[in-house]
Structure formats: C-alpha cells, structure tokens
C-alpha cells in the first residue's frame, strides 16, 4: 500500500540517523514533514525559543533540498491531528519515541486518535543510544541506581547501533510533498515575535540552532584528536572565557545531533589511540545521559521530591527573596552571580559551574529545594533536558545518587582554582572589573578606599553577601545529616554511604520498575517489531 504519511518532528530535528523518518519514506507516495508548536509543551525562555526556531529553519532548508518542506502548525496535538488526518488523507504517522511523562501521555492520545482514523502509527528509538526499557529489562526489571551498575548492563548489551545516513534525493524519487505559496503563509515557521520573544532583549547568539551547525561543530571537535582522546570532564574549567567542553549538548537535547552519530564519531577518533575512559571521557558523558534517562523511565515522579521513593525527603525552606536573588544574580558572591549572569544571557554554563550554583541554592547555602532550581534551569538552559535536569539536581542537592552531603562547593575558593585573577567575573559582572585580584571574589572585604577606587561600593553598587557561607554551610550540613537520619528510619538501609570518588554515584539497591498504564501502551514495541 502506498501511504500518505506524516512524519512528526518533535526532538529529532535532523535528517541524519532518523529511522522513523526513513520508515515514513517506505511505501510512501505523499510525505508531510510536520512540527507542532504545542502550547502545553515547555519551550523555555527566549534563548531556547530562538534556538528552536533556528533548528526548524535549518530543517526546512534541508527538506527543501529534497523537494520537500516543513509544515509548522500551532495547537494541541490531539486537536491538530484529527483535522490533518482528514485534510491530508493520512494513512501513516511516524515519530521518534520520547520517554518523558508528558510525551508518553500526549503520544497515547495521538495513537488512539490515529487508530480511530485508520492511521497506522510507527515509532523508533533514536533520541538515546539505547532503548531504556531494554536496559531495565536486562537488569531484571530494576532501575540501575549507580553509574557502575549501569555500565555493566550496557556492556552486556554491546555498543549502540550505528547511525543511519540521512535520506537523499534518490530516496525521495517516488515521494512527493505538496508545496505551494499558500503553504508558506499557513504552515510557515514562526518568527521570534510570533512566539513572544522581543529580539532586542537577546544577546549575541553564540550557539545557533540546527542540524548543519551541529554537524559542523562535531566535525570541528573531532578534528582535535589529541584533545578528544585526553578529554576528562572534571579537569575542564568552569570559568574559562570560552567553553572548555564541546557545547554539543544543546544540539543533542533538541535532536539536531544524533547521540549515536556522536558516539561512533568518537569511536573513530579513539580507534588505535590511547584515550580516557568513562565516566570522565566524552563517551562517558553520553553514558551519563543514558543513565539519567534510564532512571527517569524507571522511577515514578522522577522530577519531584514527594512521591519519588529514591529521593531523600528534605524539609527545604521556602524563601522567595533568596530564590530571586539567586536567579537574578544578586547573591553578593561574584562567582555565583557571574555564573547565573552567563546562564541568563547565553543559555549555557559549564557543568562544574552548574555544580557550584546548584549546591549554593540547595544544601550549601540557601537551603531551597532542588525543584526550584530545576525550574530556573528549565527556563534558561539551551540544553535543558527533562531527565538530565531532574537527575542532576537530585545529585547536586545530595538527594539521590550522590550522598556525600558534607562535600560543599565554596562560592569563593572553588572559582579561584581555575581563574585566580577573576577574569570570568570581570566579563560577566563588569561592575567589579576594577577590583584588585585579591578582592575580586570577596569584594565586601575590600577597604572602602579600594571600593571607591574601583567605582563600586558594596551594598550600594553591588549587593553584600546574602549569607555568611562559613557559618550557614556548617549549619546546613547538620540539617542534611538530620534529614538522612530521618530517612534511614524508614528504610532497611541507610542512604549514607561513602563513594570511591565524586564521579561515581553511591551504591544502592536497584528499584523494581512499576510501569504506568500509559507506558504499557507505548512501550510494547517488540510485539510490533518496532524496536530500533
């Protein structure tokens, strides 16, 4: 049967390594590549919206080279699809599988609607290296809670599948996409103004969205063979003036770059050479992503404290003033404020910088719930990813996975390790740029004469520290200790365990997975031969 097919782009905003797209082209006579701007879907702040629109423009450009185009519509998918099924006489729908709870719920609704309209649905796993359900299945139905145990599972599964090439004109010779000038008006890509973004408020776009930019950056990094082979994430700098890592994470998060393509390009570079290994290598970073994705699939309420049975229940404070000061870079600690300024302005910060500000907000200084920090990162980060954001915030607040709560990042000393002169602070907080080196991290300690000479009076031109770190951090360590003690009373095993290093999560018993009815509907891929 020759199908009229919609390929529904969501996160996989690319042509390369897109098995669901190639599935759409099989037995297809008419193809409608579709993106739905879903009002219920979180697209984040202005930087992320700009990145998304750039990715859509790039995707449309690539499709037009194949004599096709991207159709963009706005609305709830469950309301959009019935209309399009009828209007376009659709018989097949394809998409890339998504594991987020919202996405599973959305896709179950769309699948039911497709069935009502006689539309065949086909999806493939390609946003991750592995099928998360397969990993849990391989672990006797339990969710692995340590990176080490996760490594053992994927080692048994073998390397990820190799990526498939992007479709070419030859693949499209018998496939047509209806295109007309009217379509540009009806199905064109929204402008920044359309999505509520004032472009005058945006700073320079350092990381443009799109598959072509992703592949260009990948090529650029892979040409640095020595750097790639010697890469160790903990040895990179959180406050270098230019990124000390690849910054490919936004492209992987949006699916402009396939994780499998990234993995195998790294394998090509590594081959025959001495290189670093997981967890600190670049392969290791991709496996961290898989680890948190697996946890997010197997642990109910993964992005919440309450109802998350692997998360330590902590009586966090509610302090709107502290939260706003942290979010708006007004804590009075230049290293923290510089990081938060970079995050708000550019949409990206180094992973160790994330560690510093997350620890400061939660268990280190302000004692505010990691859920609040999670919301801010969701808004600001270009590379926001539901599973990784929730997993990392639990880790950094010492709520789940990592439990060395007594190891607190200093908002002063930590930044000095890699930037003694404070050049990073001067870049993002120019109000402090004239402070002498010895006061740049602690301007409140500078004599008034020095502050006047620097043109910045602390408490007037730049805020005083919101807390006294040396005092409050010790208090919070005791509060965390009490939370752990209380938590251990309800568990057969105390969560307080020492780990071999800060790079390895605490060893804990795996959690038996409890599948939801929605997941049951969508995860039974094997029976239909739909496992990628």
């Amino acid at each position: 049967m020759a199908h009229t097919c919609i390929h529904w782009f969501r996160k996989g905003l690319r042509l390369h390594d897109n098995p669901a797209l190639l599935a759409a082209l099989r037995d297809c006579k008419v193809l409608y590549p579709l993106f739905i701007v879903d009002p219920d879907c979180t697209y984040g702040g202005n930087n992320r919206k700009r990145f998304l629109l750039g990715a859509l423009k790039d995707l449309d450009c690539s499709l037009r080279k194949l004599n096709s185009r991207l159709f963009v519509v706005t609305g709830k998918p469950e309301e959009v699809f019935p209309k399009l099924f009828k209007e376009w006489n659709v018989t097949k729908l394809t998409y890339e599988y998504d594991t987020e709870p919202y996405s599973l719920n959305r896709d179950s609704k769309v699948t039911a609607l497709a069935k009502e309209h006689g539309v065949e649905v086909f999806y493939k796993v390609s946003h991750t290296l592995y099928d998360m359900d397969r990993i849990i299945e391989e672990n006797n139905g339990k969710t692995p809670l340590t990176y080490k145990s996760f490594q053992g599972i994927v080692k048994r599964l073998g390397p990820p599948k190799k990526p498939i090439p992007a479709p070419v004109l030859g693949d499209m010779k018998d496939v047509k996409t209806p295109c007309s000038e009217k379509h540009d008006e009806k199905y064109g890509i929204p402008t920044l103004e359309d999505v509520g973004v004032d472009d005058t408020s945006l700073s320079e776009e350092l990381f443009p969205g799109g598959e072509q930019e992703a592949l260009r950056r990948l090529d650029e990094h892979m040409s640095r063979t020595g750097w790639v082979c010697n890469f160790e994430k903990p040895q990179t700098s959180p406050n270098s003036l230019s990124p000390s890592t690849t910054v490919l994470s936004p492209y992987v998060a949006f699916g402009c770059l396939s994780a499998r393509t990234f993995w195998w390009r790294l394998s090509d570079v590594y081959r025959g050479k001495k290189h670093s290994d997981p967890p600190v290598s670049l392969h290791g970073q991709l496996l961290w992503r898989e680890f948190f994705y697996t946890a997010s699939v197997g642990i109910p309420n993964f992005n919440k404290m309450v109802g998350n049975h692997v998360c330590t229940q902590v009586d966090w404070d509610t302090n709107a003033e502290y939260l706003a000061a942290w979010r708006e870079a007004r804590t009075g600690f230049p290293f923290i404020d510089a990081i938060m300024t970079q995050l708000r302005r550019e949409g990206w910060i180094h992973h160790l910088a994330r560690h510093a500000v997350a620890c400061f907000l939660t268990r280190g200084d302000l004692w505010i719930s990691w859920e609040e920090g999670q919301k801010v990162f969701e808004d600001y980060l270009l590379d926001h990813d539901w599973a990784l954001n929730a997993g990392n915030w639990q880790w950094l607040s010492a709520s789940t996975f990592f439990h060395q709560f007594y190891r607190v990042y200093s908002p002063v000393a930590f930044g000095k390790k890699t930037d003694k002169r404070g050049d990073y602070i001067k870049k993002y907080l120019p109000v402090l740029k004239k402070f002498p080196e010895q006061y740049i991290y602690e301007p409140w300690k500078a004599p008034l004469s020095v502050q006047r000479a620097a043109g910045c009076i602390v408490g007037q031109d730049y805020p005083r520290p919101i807390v006294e770190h040396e005092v409050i951090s010790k208090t919070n360590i005791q509060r965390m200790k009490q939370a752990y003690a209380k938590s251990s009373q309800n568990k057969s095993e105390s969560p307080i365990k020492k780990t071999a290093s800060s790079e390895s999560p605490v060893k804990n018993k795996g959690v038996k997975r409890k599948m939801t009815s929605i997941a049951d509907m969508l995860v039974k891929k094997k029976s239909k031969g739909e496992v990628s």
Side-chain angles (χ1 to χ4, degrees), residues 117-166:
H117 288 79
V119 176
E120 177 186 340
V121 177
F122 193 92
Y123 46 85
K124 299 285 274 185
V125 174
S126 56
H127 189 61
T128 50
L129 299 174
Y130 298 92
D131 183 336
M132 305 297 100
D133 301 304
R134 179 73 185 89
I135 291 173
I136 294 172
E137 192 178 294
E138 181 70 18
N139 198 41
N140 298 316
K142 295 179 181 180
T143 307
L145 295 183
T146 71
Y147 187 88
K148 187 175 181 180
S149 64
F150 175 82
Q151 277 185 290
I153 297 165
V154 297
K155 187 175 182 180
R156 292 197 299 273
L157 291 176
K161 288 191 174 183
K162 291 196 173 183
I164 58 177

Side-chain angles (χ1 to χ4, degrees), residues 238-239 335 352-353 355-356 409-419 441:
N239 46 8
F335 181 54
L352 289 176
H355 286 205
Y409 288 89
S410 166
V412 174
F414 184 55
K416 285 183 178 180
K417 291 180 181 179
T418 46
D419 180 24
Y441 283 87

Side-chain angles (χ1 to χ4, degrees), residues 308-344:
N308 180 341
H309 58 285
V310 301
C311 182
T312 301
Q313 304 298 297
V314 179
D315 293 326
W316 302 107
D317 291 340
T318 299
N319 191 318
E321 183 182 339
Y322 277 10
L323 177 60
W326 176 82
R327 182 180 60 244
E328 297 165 12
R330 296 187 287 104
T331 69
F333 289 91
F335 181 54
I336 300 299
D337 292 342
I339 294 170
M340 295 304 292
T341 299
Q342 182 188 17
L343 173 61
R344 188 173 67 251

Side-chain angles (χ1 to χ4, degrees), residues 60-349:
D60 181 54
C61 182
S62 295
L63 286 166
R64 287 177 186 269
K65 292 176 182 177
L66 299 177
N67 296 324
S68 185
R69 63 157 295 155
L70 184 66
F71 293 79
V72 180
V73 298
T74 299
K76 295 182 179 182
E78 61 267 31
E79 296 173 359
V80 166
F81 274 113
K83 298 174 185 177
L84 296 183
F85 288 157
K86 292 178 181 179
E87 183 180 342
W88 293 344
N89 297 313
V90 176
T91 57
K92 186 176 180 180
L93 171 67
T94 64
Y95 58 80
E96 181 182 73
Y97 186 65
D98 193 342
T99 57
E100 289 185 27
Y102 169 77
S103 303
L104 290 171
N105 184 42
R106 172 200 63 195
D107 294 350
S108 69
K109 293 177 184 176
V110 171
T111 298
L113 288 168
K115 186 176 181 180
E116 290 177 16
H117 288 79
V119 176
E120 177 186 340
V121 177
F122 193 92
Y123 46 85
K124 299 285 274 185
V125 174
S126 56
H127 189 61
T128 50
L129 299 174
Y130 298 92
D131 183 336
M132 305 297 100
D133 301 304
R134 179 73 185 89
I135 291 173
I136 294 172
E137 192 178 294
E138 181 70 18
N139 198 41
N140 298 316
K142 295 179 181 180
T143 307
L145 295 183
T146 71
Y147 187 88
K148 187 175 181 180
S149 64
F150 175 82
Q151 277 185 290
I153 297 165
V154 297
K155 187 175 182 180
R156 292 197 299 273
L157 291 176
K161 288 191 174 183
K162 291 196 173 183
I164 58 177
V168 295
L169 272 172
D171 299 310
M172 302 286 289
K173 62 182 180 181
D174 298 319
V175 180
K176 298 188 183 304
T177 296
C179 297
S180 73
E181 291 181 7
K182 291 182 180 179
H183 284 165
D184 284 337
E185 184 177 338
K186 188 175 182 180
Y187 301 113
I189 296 167
T191 64
L192 285 170
E193 185 179 0
D194 292 334
V195 295
V197 176
D198 176 9
D199 59 1
T200 62
S201 67
L202 294 169
S203 59
E204 179 187 359
E205 189 172 20
L206 300 178
F207 314 109
E211 178 182 18
Q212 298 312 308
E213 179 67 13
L215 294 175
R216 184 195 69 76
R217 287 172 178 261
L218 179 66
D219 287 342
E220 184 179 274
H221 288 299
M222 293 307 99
S223 67
R224 304 161 63 196
T225 55
W227 182 83
V228 169
C229 289
N230 294 322
F231 182 92
E232 293 189 2
K233 192 82 173 267
Q235 304 306 316
T236 55
S237 172
N239 46 8
S240 57
L241 296 184
S242 58
S244 57
T245 56
T246 66
V247 197
L248 287 171
S249 52
Y251 301 93
V252 177
F254 276 89
C256 301
L257 174 63
S258 155
R260 296 191 297 205
T261 296
F262 194 0
W263 175 278
W264 284 103
R265 286 292 301 275
L266 287 168
S267 295
D268 291 341
V269 174
Y270 290 155
R271 192 171 293 112
K273 304 180 186 71
K274 184 180 178 181
H275 59 83
S276 56
D277 294 309
V280 298
S281 65
L282 285 168
H283 263 175
Q285 305 316 302
L286 288 171
L287 290 178
W288 276 118
R289 179 175 184 264
E290 300 289 304
F291 171 71
F292 283 131
Y293 259 84
T294 304
S296 76
V297 168
I299 299 171
N301 301 306
F302 187 63
N303 67 329
K304 298 179 177 63
M305 180 180 75
V306 176
N308 180 341
H309 58 285
V310 301
C311 182
T312 301
Q313 304 298 297
V314 179
D315 293 326
W316 302 107
D317 291 340
T318 299
N319 191 318
E321 183 182 339
Y322 277 10
L323 177 60
W326 176 82
R327 182 180 60 244
E328 297 165 12
R330 296 187 287 104
T331 69
F333 289 91
F335 181 54
I336 300 299
D337 292 342
I339 294 170
M340 295 304 292
T341 299
Q342 182 188 17
L343 173 61
R344 188 173 67 251
R345 185 185 301 171
E346 300 174 5
W348 181 88
I349 50 176

Side-chain angles (χ1 to χ4, degrees), residues 399-467:
S399 297
T400 317
F401 308 117
F402 174 74
H403 295 98
Q404 292 181 344
F405 61 85
Y406 44 84
R407 296 183 61 178
V408 175
Y409 288 89
S410 166
V412 174
F414 184 55
K416 285 183 178 180
K417 291 180 181 179
T418 46
D419 180 24
K420 289 183 180 180
R421 297 192 308 175
D423 291 334
Y424 176 83
I425 290 171
K426 293 173 183 177
K427 176 179 179 179
Y428 291 103
L429 301 177
V431 68
L432 300 174
K433 65 182 178 181
K434 292 184 180 179
F435 269 84
E437 180 180 318
Q438 63 266 41
Y439 296 118
I440 191 70
Y441 283 87
E442 301 171 286
W444 63 91
K445 290 186 176 180
L448 189 56
S449 59
V450 173
Q451 295 181 36
R452 287 190 180 120
C456 175
I457 305 299
V458 175
Q460 178 179 311
D461 304 304
Y462 179 73
R464 295 185 183 280
I466 196 170
V467 292

